Structures are given as C-alpha cells and as structure tokens.
Amino acid sequence: MEELNFHPNMFAKGMRTNRSFSIGILFPDLSNPFFAEWYQVVDRISGTKGYLNYICITDPFGKTEMKRIDDLLARSIDGIIYFSYQKLPEVLEKLRAISKHTPVVCCDGMMIGEDLSYECADGRKGTYEATRYLIENGRKRIAYIKGTDAYQVGYNRYEGYRQAIQETSLPYDESLVFSGNFQMADGFEAASYFMQQPNPPDAIMAATDNMAVGVLKYLNLQGISVPEQVAVVGF
C-alpha cells in the first residue's frame, strides 16, 4: 500500500460497513471564538481515526436545528455533536430518538439532567462559584454583564450570579447589571456604564470571555488597574 501510494476509498468502505466515517457537528454561531477553538481539537482527534467532520451552522434561536439534523442523518453520519444556545423540547425529543441508533453528545450545561449524553460546563454553578470567590476576596460591589435573555445558556449563568449575591449580605443592585449580546463591544459599553456611576464596582463579571475582553479594553484605556482597582472575570 505504501509503495503504490494507495488510499482507501471511504465511500466504498462505507457501503461495505454501513458507516460513513463522518461526524456531524452543530454550532449555533461561528462568530464566537470558543466554537472555532473547540472544533480544532475535535478535528485533530477525529482525523487520527480517519473521520471527516460535517460542520452545520444553525442559528442562535434554534430555528434551523431540526432541518440541519435531518441533513446530517441523510448523509448517514456516524455521530452527532450538538451545541445550542437554546433548549427546545422538540429538538431534545428528536435527539433522544436518534441516540437509540446513532451516538449523540450534547455540549452545554443546559443539558445537565436530561436523558442524553453530555459533556459540558455547568454555567450556573461556575458563575456562582466565581461570584463567591470575588466576595470571599473582599469585593463589595460586583457588576455583571449578562447576555440577552433570548439565549437560555446566558440566563443560566446570570442566575448563578444572582444566587451568590442573594446568599450574602450584599444587596442586589439593578444598576450593577447590564444586558449585552455576547459581543466584545457590549463589554466595552458595559464597563463605561459601570465605571461612570457615582459608586462604581470593584469587580465586573461577564457571561462570556468575549465581553470580558471588552471590559479590559475600556479599563486599560481609562488607566484603571486590574485587578487592583477592578477585578474582571469572564466565563
């Protein structure tokens, strides 16, 4: 095989084995650098096993997820890796049915407790622990940049922040909460809003690292030291 530079025909092999040697990956948004970094790891590992990956971009609201899943099944993929900003009952039901014959792995904390295989970070718990860490290290005014409530994944993280604040003697202050849309510019705008208040925060948390970078950009331009004057945490 080496002398003749022979390479197997995967299509022909698939007809014999009833496998396509391909994995379908659903991403809701490729503008988020997290997904690009994540895909590099998957591609490196699957490539060593002779698998090809199909990337399907759905949408942040999950409207096209059902169609994209059908598109992958029509290509006889051997497994599905599923990311979403939503938790739509009809999609979960479809994934459960598929998982009886095709492996499905969900990758988000929203799926914790569902009867599907998942590999994920718990957004609510992680944000809760990060908030507690700031409180235990003496921060008294902790601001939070949440994502739009249209995305359940962001709301879960915000709930972790609220829970940690409510369990302490610190008051919950609406003026310390800013609604963004997960973009770097939202973090910059939020930091400007927070730091121009009469009593600015001594810590700023963000629902995504992307928004946290925007916070750092603003603080750097204003000559505000991190973390001495303002601690910054991204998820």
Side-chain angles (χ1 to χ4, degrees):
M1 289 174 68
E2 290 179 357
E3 290 175 2
L4 298 176
N5 194 29
F6 173 81
H7 296 282
N9 185 312
M10 298 306 290
F11 179 74
K13 186 176 181 180
M15 291 181 66
R16 180 172 56 83
T17 62
N18 199 30
R19 295 171 62 190
S20 64
F21 295 92
S22 60
I23 298 170
I25 307 174
L26 291 97
F27 290 130
D29 173 21
L30 268 194
S31 67
N32 186 337
F34 167 77
F35 295 125
E37 293 178 22
W38 195 94
Y39 176 73
Q40 288 177 353
V41 177
V42 173
D43 190 58
R44 185 172 70 246
I45 296 171
S46 61
T48 64
K49 303 296 183 180
Y51 278 77
L52 188 67
N53 302 310
Y54 284 107
I55 298 179
C56 288
I57 310 304
T58 55
D59 66 278
F61 300 101
K63 295 179 180 178
T64 60
E65 289 180 357
M66 295 284 275
K67 181 182 184 306
R68 285 305 199 177
I69 291 171
D70 285 336
D71 289 342
L72 290 172
L73 293 175
R75 286 159 176 79
S76 301
I77 45 90
D78 293 331
I80 292 177
I81 299 174
Y82 172 77
F83 283 90
S84 178
Y85 288 152
Q86 306 295 338
K87 189 176 181 180
L88 302 179
E90 62 272 22
V91 176
L92 294 187
E93 190 60 35
K94 189 177 188 72
L95 292 175
R96 289 189 192 100
I98 293 168
S99 66
K100 294 176 182 177
H101 54 78
T102 301
V104 175
V105 178
C106 301
C107 299
D108 205 283
M110 294 184 299
M111 301 303 175
I112 292 175
E114 296 293 336
D115 52 345
L116 282 161
S117 296
Y118 55 81
E119 173 72 22
C120 55
D122 188 334
R124 179 172 183 147
K125 182 180 178 182
T127 305
Y128 170 85
E129 292 181 352
T131 309
R132 293 287 307 186
Y133 174 82
L134 291 171
I135 293 170
E136 290 164 5
N137 280 272
R139 304 294 172 166
K140 302 296 185 184
R141 285 183 59 77
I142 303 172
Y144 190 79
I145 311 170
K146 65 177 184 176
T148 169
D149 289 343
Y151 303 161
Q152 187 169 344
V153 61
Y155 187 76
N156 288 354
R157 298 172 191 177
Y158 167 64
E159 283 293 293
Y161 161 80
R162 283 202 64 166
Q163 180 185 351
I165 294 294
Q166 290 170 348
E167 287 181 359
T168 69
S169 58
L170 298 180
Y172 175 78
D173 188 343
E174 287 284 356
S175 70
L176 292 179
V177 177
F178 184 95
S179 293
N181 197 21
F182 302 118
Q183 303 301 315
M184 195 179 298
D186 297 318
F188 190 96
E189 182 182 352
S192 174
Y193 163 73
F194 291 140
M195 300 312 295
Q196 292 183 48
Q197 294 183 14
N199 187 14
D202 55 9
I204 300 176
M205 303 183 69
T208 66
D209 283 342
N210 218 16
M211 292 194 293
V213 171
V215 172
L216 292 171
K217 284 187 169 227
Y218 176 85
L219 297 177
N220 184 52
L221 282 174
Q222 299 300 316
I224 300 170
S225 61
V226 177
E228 291 78 12
Q229 291 176 268
V230 180
V232 177
V233 176
F235 188 96

